[in-house]
Amino acid sequence: DKDGNVIPDADVKLDMYESEFEWGTAISTRLLREGEDGENYRKNLVKYFNGAVVETEHKWNYYENDPVSANSMVDWSIRNGIKNFRVHALLWDRKYDSTTKNSAVPPDVGKWIESKDYDKIKARFEKHIYEQAGDFAGRVTEFDVINEMTRGDAWIWDEQKDIIPKAFEWARKAAPNEKLFFNECGLGGADTKAYKKFTEILDWAVANNVDFDGIGIQGHQGNPKDPLIFLDMLNKFAEKYPDKELKVTEFDILLSGSKINDDLQANFCRDILIAMYSCENLSGIYNWGMWDNNNAGRLILSKDWKVRKAGKEYEDLVYNKWWTRDSGKTNADGVYSTRGYFGDYDITVTANG
């Protein structure tokens, strides 16, 4: 009690209300819209997730053209209890395609990439990183500093790898308290070309003292394999880079040819979530969207806002099997002990009626 006296046989109830593990999703400007879809979007974001990442509006071209929307999504999320927020991405290592709406590379930078005007590119990179990272510093938790360096049209590693330490240095100065990540695609297993090239880049970054905190593995599941293959790759990252945080940053299950079998998708969702969660160095899993609005790879909610079969598997694992609710009595020494998942708890103790 308050005087330090032992109270045996007291009733203790533990109710976990927040997981330390990051369960996140990509979000869009639907978060800010009026109407029924906007209301459902906001309600389900805070129901299912403690983390968020903006799918499009934080990419360079979009952010530069509409910083208001980019900031509004962060501010709304923080006000409504989303405690983990990733910024994706400060730099996207790809060429410029003038035939599409390009979110990754502004037109002026695209022209300089084509002409190999590296001095102008580096100056523009530096200015952009200071502006965007500085804008979000103190509100978000981490940044993808460089995205997708193993793509076929990526150029930084082969042509100007000195950009890598500079980009992280600029980001660290602009946002000194946030975590800085590499984020990579195509990582289906340790036998892939993307894994081999990415680990070559990471090895070089470590050897050259690049100041980064974490490794983002996108985790898109286009043609599902044995989940243990993906787990083996996660564990290899953990073994090679034990002081770096690991996250799965863009998890979805589209299946081949965008043809979704709901039962197969749900069963695979369950199995690969179990595999990923068993990696001790993994600190978060971010779904690449929660609502199937013309994207069937999004696992939680159907177009009419019903919970999909994969969503039910997600619910059962995250909020049932991996969630602690427990009760019991203190022993003769006034001690009650149990095992629980890391997180925040409401603890109620009742004694003597």
Side-chain angles (χ1 to χ4, degrees), residues 60 91 121-131 170:
W60 187 346
L91 300 180
I121 292 169
K122 290 173 186 177
R124 188 80 155 85
F125 277 6
E126 181 179 10
K127 181 175 182 291
H128 166 65
I129 289 174
Y130 273 107
E131 286 179 350
W170 298 328

Side-chain angles (χ1 to χ4, degrees), residues 61-310:
N61 216 16
Y62 275 89
Y63 169 77
E64 208 162 64
N65 288 307
D66 186 9
V68 173
S69 294
N71 276 276
S72 295
M73 286 187 278
V74 172
D75 292 338
W76 188 95
S77 299
I78 293 170
R79 285 197 309 270
N80 288 274
I82 301 297
K83 67 178 187 178
N84 307 292
F85 209 107
R86 312 190 75 249
V87 172
H88 172 80
L90 296 177
L91 300 180
W92 191 349
D93 184 8
R94 61 183 293 185
K95 300 288 176 64
Y96 180 76
D97 183 355
S98 61
T99 65
T100 66
K101 188 176 183 180
N102 195 298
S103 65
V105 182
D108 58 341
V109 178
K111 291 177 183 177
W112 295 333
I113 292 172
E114 291 176 0
S115 64
K116 300 186 184 297
D117 198 337
Y118 296 125
D119 288 340
K120 288 183 179 178
I121 292 169
K122 290 173 186 177
R124 188 80 155 85
F125 277 6
E126 181 179 10
K127 181 175 182 291
H128 166 65
I129 289 174
Y130 273 107
E131 286 179 350
Q132 187 175 3
D135 189 4
F136 293 121
R139 291 184 289 156
V140 303
T141 48
E142 61 199 49
F143 294 87
D144 286 336
V145 177
I146 307 181
N147 186 47
E148 297 189 355
M149 296 189 70
T150 69
R151 285 171 55 97
D153 63 345
W155 60 275
I156 291 175
W157 175 248
D158 292 326
E159 298 178 28
Q160 290 287 305
K161 61 170 58 74
D162 66 302
I163 288 173
I164 299 169
K166 286 184 170 66
F168 281 90
E169 178 185 345
W170 298 328
R172 182 69 72 199
K173 288 179 179 177
N177 299 315
E178 284 69 44
K179 296 176 182 177
L180 307 180
F181 276 69
F182 286 94
N183 193 56
E184 198 51 64
C185 61
L187 298 169
D191 61 343
T192 60
K193 290 181 180 178
Y195 175 84
K196 293 172 184 175
K197 183 172 183 179
F198 190 39
T199 52
E200 180 185 355
I201 293 167
L202 293 175
D203 287 346
W204 181 89
V206 171
N208 286 274
N209 298 311
V210 174
D211 183 12
F212 72 103
D213 302 297
I215 300 166
I217 298 102
Q218 289 186 0
H220 295 289
Q221 305 293 325
N223 291 286
K225 303 176 182 178
D226 183 343
L228 294 180
I229 295 173
F230 196 78
L231 173 61
D232 175 67
M233 180 189 66
L234 293 178
N235 286 333
K236 281 183 165 58
F237 276 118
E239 291 165 8
K240 282 179 69 65
Y241 315 104
D243 61 335
K244 305 301 180 184
E245 192 170 335
L246 299 182
K247 280 193 177 78
V248 173
T249 57
E250 302 183 21
F251 173 57
D252 59 13
I253 306 172
L254 189 57
L255 306 181
S256 179
S258 301
K259 296 177 181 178
I260 296 296
N261 176 301
D262 285 340
D263 291 319
L264 174 59
Q265 187 187 54
N267 289 338
F268 183 75
C269 179
R270 177 199 61 223
D271 294 347
I272 198 164
L273 279 173
I274 292 170
M276 291 189 293
Y277 194 60
S278 72
C279 177
E280 292 185 10
N281 285 49
L282 196 72
S283 61
I285 297 170
Y286 283 71
N287 291 263
W288 202 237
M290 63 176 170
W291 178 38
D292 174 13
N293 184 35
N294 299 318
N295 187 327
R298 299 180 174 183
L299 303 172
I300 310 301
L301 299 158
S302 65
K303 292 179 183 178
D304 58 357
W305 296 103
K306 291 184 172 64
V307 181
R308 301 184 64 200
K309 288 184 178 180

